[in-house]
Amino acid sequence: MTEPFIIDAHLDLAMNALEWNRDLTRPITEIRAAEMGLKDKAGRGGGTVCLPEMRRGGIGLAVVTQIAKVKTQGFNPASVWQSPEQAWAMTQGQLAWYRALEEAGEIRFVSSKENLAQHLATWENGKSTAIGCILSLEGADSLITLSHLERAYRDGLRAVGPSHYGPGIYAGGTDSTGGFTAKGRELLTEMRRLGMILDVTHLTDEGFWEALKIYSGPIWASHHNCRALTPHQRQLSDEQIRALIERDAVIGAALDGWMLVPDWVRGKTTPDLRGLRLERVIEHVDHICQLAGNSLHVGLGSDLDGGFGKEQSPSDLETVADVRRLPELIRQRGGSEEDARNFAHGNFLRFLQRALP
């Protein structure tokens, strides 16, 4: 692929459209203006993601999510519902929104090697501005039964992260303990039968190691940073990073402030106060490269629309389009052209060329 071409391995586009009521086909200035005065969610009026800005930044392919968690006692993050049936309905609404965007020519679903090759060809020769989208499920609580996973696979779902925040139906997630439930182990078996990608993001440490032991299919960490630089269970330890490298996984760097610098307090810490800039992202990327001895396991999983906006993003990032600066920052740090391309799209592209049906 020619430059610029960026793969972003984690964006919550449908959540923003349906729960935040954002028309992501509009310019970012219009989206922000429409939210002035709203206080229902953190990040109102400061969103950084929309389809025009993705195109401006050269993001030609993205892993986009369906997300709907079932409520568990003590954990009430975004996208929480009272029952699996409600959560399933929400994911189906999200799917319908993606389909509507596809019909409008805004996006193109990518669910096979053939789709991927076709999309890359049309993007490279300038015949299409539709952004390629690979569908991922963030947290599996919405799967009422394992037969719903096969239904979702037929609808184009290609990756699953079994957990999100807190205890889950299938596995424990961030800020909780415990590995996979019995249903979760059955989920991994069914995912392997279907040939799906396992996303280890948000798993507990117990769940992480259990997943690597049980799952023999393709594995990635779509949006994760390094625990050595930002101590928290949400980040990957060096031991976990080495294990992912051994499995030929790719780790997507996330741009959420609390995942980039230590001791971030949501709602109080600011990017300017902590001096958070895009260079910090490259420090996490470089840490993984040093452990690997190469640049073959890093990429971008920005999560820039994951429930926050400019108030929790690097201070020199105005919109998602600014991720196009990251490959140049790799070069400035001493990386080669190949290193920069590997991060921008090469590693996730090679992974997908292997993993997609």
Side-chain angles (χ1 to χ4, degrees), residues 7 17-18 45 83 85 104 113 117 133-134 136 188 209 219 230 244 272-273 283 321 331 336 343-344 350:
I7 295 177
L18 271 63
S83 70
E85 291 78 10
K113 291 181 175 70
C133 289
I134 297 164
S136 179
L188 292 179
W209 294 113
I219 291 176
T230 308
L244 289 172
D272 287 334
L273 182 65
E283 292 178 16
R331 289 187 283 263
S336 66
F343 171 82
R350 285 188 291 271

Side-chain angles (χ1 to χ4, degrees), residues 1-6 57 278-279 281-283 285-286 289 295 298 322-346:
M1 292 297 298
T2 57
E3 300 286 356
F5 184 77
I6 304 287
L278 286 168
E279 285 86 350
V281 180
I282 305 306
E283 292 178 16
V285 171
D286 184 64
C289 292
S295 62
V298 292
D322 290 318
V323 300
R324 62 186 174 183
R325 296 173 48 207
L326 291 169
E328 175 57 29
L329 291 175
I330 289 175
R331 289 187 283 263
Q332 290 177 11
R333 195 180 177 90
S336 66
E337 290 294 327
E338 183 181 9
D339 295 333
R341 285 194 301 271
N342 282 342
F343 171 82
H345 61 257

Side-chain angles (χ1 to χ4, degrees), residues 13 23-27 50-55 59-60 97-109 119 123 128-133:
L13 299 182
D23 182 355
L24 299 182
T25 67
R26 307 304 303 162
C50 66
L51 297 178
E53 290 301 302
M54 290 174 67
R55 294 187 186 97
I59 301 173
W97 178 77
Y98 285 126
R99 293 294 185 197
L101 283 190
E102 185 174 45
E103 291 173 6
E106 296 280 355
I107 69 170
R108 176 187 293 110
F109 272 112
H119 175 66
W123 184 273
S128 174
T129 59
I131 296 169
C133 289

Side-chain angles (χ1 to χ4, degrees), residues 282-296:
I282 305 306
E283 292 178 16
H284 283 266
V285 171
D286 184 64
H287 185 78
I288 295 170
C289 292
Q290 295 301 322
L291 291 174
N294 55 55
S295 62
L296 298 175

Side-chain angles (χ1 to χ4, degrees), residues 43-352:
R44 282 295 193 190
T48 62
V49 177
C50 66
L51 297 178
E53 290 301 302
M54 290 174 67
R55 294 187 186 97
R56 190 168 72 87
I59 301 173
L61 186 63
V63 180
V64 300
T65 66
Q66 295 169 284
I67 177 171
K69 179 176 171 55
V70 174
K71 183 178 180 181
T72 51
Q73 186 173 2
F75 286 86
N76 296 289
S79 310
V80 175
W81 308 95
Q82 296 290 336
S83 70
E85 291 78 10
Q86 289 170 282
W88 171 259
M90 174 53 73
T91 65
Q92 298 314 288
Q94 293 168 351
L95 177 62
W97 178 77
Y98 285 126
R99 293 294 185 197
L101 283 190
E102 185 174 45
E103 291 173 6
E106 296 280 355
I107 69 170
R108 176 187 293 110
F109 272 112
V110 173
S111 58
S112 68
K113 291 181 175 70
E114 182 180 6
N115 294 157
L116 179 61
Q118 292 169 344
H119 175 66
L120 295 178
T122 56
W123 184 273
E124 189 168 23
N125 64 27
K127 289 185 177 180
S128 174
T129 59
I131 296 169
C133 289
I134 297 164
L135 200 58
S136 179
L137 181 64
E138 185 171 26
D141 285 3
S142 61
L143 298 173
I144 302 170
T145 68
L146 290 184
S147 68
H148 287 76
L149 177 65
E150 186 165 9
R151 288 169 60 180
Y153 181 84
R154 290 198 300 267
D155 285 332
L157 185 68
R158 291 296 177 264
V160 176
S163 64
H164 192 217
Y165 279 86
I169 292 173
Y170 293 94
T174 299
D175 289 329
S176 70
T177 58
F180 282 79
T181 64
K183 289 185 66 174
R185 290 186 285 275
E186 292 174 358
L187 173 70
L188 292 179
T189 299
E190 183 67 358
M191 286 177 59
R192 186 67 189 103
R193 183 184 74 82
L194 293 169
M196 302 185 77
I197 299 164
L198 172 63
D199 188 351
V200 299
T201 306
H202 284 295
L203 287 174
T204 62
D205 286 355
E206 302 99 310
F208 176 92
W209 294 113
E210 190 174 1
L212 264 63
K213 180 178 180 181
I214 294 174
Y215 200 71
S216 60
I219 291 176
W220 67 24
S222 65
H223 55 304
H224 251 310
N225 292 336
C226 304
R227 198 177 298 184
L229 302 182
T230 308
H232 191 279
Q233 180 268 330
R234 173 66 179 83
Q235 320 307 334
L236 292 167
S237 70
D238 286 0
E239 185 181 10
Q240 290 172 325
I241 293 169
R242 291 189 182 97
L244 289 172
I245 291 167
E246 290 178 4
R247 291 292 294 268
D248 206 16
V250 182
I251 302 165
L255 273 62
D256 191 340
W258 85 273
M259 293 177 60
L260 288 166
V261 294
D263 304 319
W264 186 286
V265 179
R266 291 183 181 90
K268 295 183 178 180
T269 308
T270 67
D272 287 334
L273 182 65
R274 292 303 305 274
L276 174 59
R277 297 176 63 82
L278 286 168
E279 285 86 350
R280 180 65 175 178
V281 180
I282 305 306
E283 292 178 16
H284 283 266
V285 171
D286 184 64
H287 185 78
I288 295 170
C289 292
Q290 295 301 322
L291 291 174
N294 55 55
S295 62
L296 298 175
H297 302 277
V298 292
L300 175 69
S302 75
D303 199 22
L304 279 169
D305 54 3
F308 65 97
K310 281 178 58 62
E311 84 290 347
Q312 205 163 295
S313 303
S315 61
D316 53 344
L317 182 141
E318 180 63 25
T319 77
V320 69
D322 290 318
V323 300
R324 62 186 174 183
R325 296 173 48 207
L326 291 169
E328 175 57 29
L329 291 175
I330 289 175
R331 289 187 283 263
Q332 290 177 11
R333 195 180 177 90
S336 66
E337 290 294 327
E338 183 181 9
D339 295 333
R341 285 194 301 271
N342 282 342
F343 171 82
H345 61 257
N347 293 332
F348 272 122
L349 182 56
R350 285 188 291 271
F351 184 102
L352 290 165

